[in-house]
Amino acid sequence: MRHDIEFKTDDGTILRGWHYLPSGGGPKFPTVVMSHGFTGVKEMYLDHYAEALVGVGVASIVYDNRNFGASDGTPRQEVDPQQQIRDYRDAITYAETLPQTDPARIGVFGSSYSSGHVLVVAAIDRRVKCVVAQVPLISGHRNARRLVRADLLAGLQAMFAEDRRARARGEPPQMMPIISEDPAGPAALPTADSWAFMNKTHKLRAPSWKNEVTVRSVEMFGEYEPGAHISFISPTPLLMIVALQDHLTVADEALAAYERALEPKKLVTVKGGHFDAYVEGFAIAGGATCDWFKQHLVSGG
């Protein structure tokens, strides 16, 4: 059902992951392309979504983002959202080359940061016939100002400027922790649930995940506005999954963005916070994901 894969992006970087195939029914399957969110690696429950999709006759390409996990790319631990969008599109191209893929039935799935990516990809790449955006980032600018206290913004922006000067001098990228046990401590994701989920998942099932990220990744987070594309997705069917108590990629921003999306669209809500969709709320989130792709990729809408 699952095979290791690797493929080259347009700039020659090798990305690695898994190819999931349903048993029987081929030879060509509808296929969903997916990668993880901010610093996440594929072992952080993306396999659960891919396994569920196999059960409804949908194949998937699951890969680690460049600079993370099993994939190549430098600088390590750097998250460039625009580059990750280009990589999504290269992953779609790779999927098209596989003999088991029906190129007329390709979908994309994203969660958290990559959920923002799939909003953009679905808006600009008409090879995508269906999209699921789970607990999506909508506005980096507004979201960052919900996560960072106003009196700390000036210091953070000074850190960004100094990192740029240091890189220009040839120095290595400045790093910072992704999570901190103390939410008031320095961290790219400064919430208690980020610490609890990522620390536990790293120990249980994702040993390649590292608790560090480049400072420039955090700077690029604040510049990223995927929600600006949401009204351009139509007529591609959009499913948005929102955790109602999400304070990491804040729920009210996602709900407001959903109202700006055009038909066809559907909203599914999960009780709890940002990370509940992966485990406690997976029956709802995973079930809705499978139903949406089955409806629009398997059954033809």
Side-chain angles (χ1 to χ4, degrees):
M1 181 177 70
R2 185 177 95 182
H3 309 279
D4 292 339
I5 56 169
E6 63 178 45
F7 60 95
K8 284 187 178 181
T9 63
D10 188 59
D11 67 358
T13 301
I14 295 176
L15 306 184
R16 297 182 178 88
W18 302 317
H19 186 201
Y20 282 81
L21 284 170
S23 59
K28 292 184 180 292
F29 297 95
T31 300
V32 170
V33 173
M34 67 176 85
S35 66
H36 224 308
F38 192 84
T39 78
V41 293
K42 61 187 181 300
E43 292 83 2
M44 289 175 152
Y45 294 102
L46 288 188
D47 51 326
H48 284 194
Y49 293 87
E51 289 165 3
L53 286 171
V54 162
V56 295
V58 177
S60 58
I61 300 293
V62 184
Y63 66 94
D64 280 332
N65 288 307
R66 70 169 61 212
N67 310 333
F68 291 89
S71 290
D72 291 350
T74 56
R76 300 303 291 176
Q77 302 299 119
E78 179 153 291
V79 184
D80 181 337
Q82 300 302 329
Q83 183 62 66
Q84 289 185 353
I85 288 168
R86 290 192 289 272
D87 290 344
Y88 250 105
R89 301 182 75 184
D90 289 344
I92 292 170
T93 303
Y94 167 71
E96 289 179 315
T97 70
L98 298 175
Q100 303 92 345
T101 300
D102 182 347
R105 296 186 292 166
I106 290 178
V108 288
F109 171 92
S111 190
S112 191
Y113 209 47
S114 69
S115 192
H117 302 349
V118 298
L119 295 177
V120 179
V121 172
I124 62 179
D125 196 325
R126 291 301 167 188
R127 294 177 297 175
V128 174
K129 299 301 188 290
C130 186
V131 55
V132 174
Q134 175 175 279
V135 292
L137 174 75
I138 298 300
S139 168
H141 179 87
R142 291 193 296 272
N143 212 110
R145 278 150 182 77
R146 301 282 285 275
L147 293 174
V148 181
R149 276 176 24 202
D151 59 323
L152 300 179
L153 277 173
L156 185 62
Q157 290 164 348
M159 184 190 302
F160 297 157
E162 181 51 41
D163 178 63
R164 285 180 171 274
R165 297 184 190 106
R167 287 187 186 231
R169 295 192 295 266
E171 298 174 18
Q174 185 176 344
M175 310 296 289
M176 68 184 299
I178 300 164
I179 55 172
S180 170
E181 189 169 12
D182 177 6
L189 304 178
T191 66
D193 58 343
S194 296
W195 166 263
F197 175 83
M198 302 190 86
N199 188 52
K200 179 179 179 180
T201 307
H202 163 57
K203 293 176 180 178
L204 287 178
R205 60 186 353 257
S208 68
W209 182 83
K210 297 179 180 179
N211 187 22
E212 63 175 7
V213 67
T214 65
V215 166
R216 184 160 66 178
S217 301
V218 180
E219 182 179 22
M220 288 187 284
F221 178 100
E223 300 166 352
Y224 184 36
E225 298 295 323
H229 291 77
I230 199 163
S231 64
F232 306 144
I233 294 172
S234 178
T236 302
L238 165 66
L239 171 67
M240 186 180 290
I241 301 170
V242 177
L244 293 177
Q245 296 176 345
D246 193 338
H247 53 256
L248 186 60
T249 55
V250 288
D252 57 296
E253 287 282 350
L255 294 171
Y258 177 79
E259 293 302 314
R260 298 194 299 273
L262 305 179
E263 298 288 350
K265 63 180 181 178
K266 182 177 181 179
L267 175 67
V268 170
T269 59
V270 176
K271 293 180 181 179
H274 185 80
F275 298 99
D276 286 309
Y278 298 103
V279 185
E280 291 85 352
F282 178 74
I284 295 174
T289 295
C290 289
D291 290 346
W292 195 248
F293 285 127
K294 183 179 180 180
Q295 176 184 349
H296 294 285
L297 295 184
V298 180
S299 303

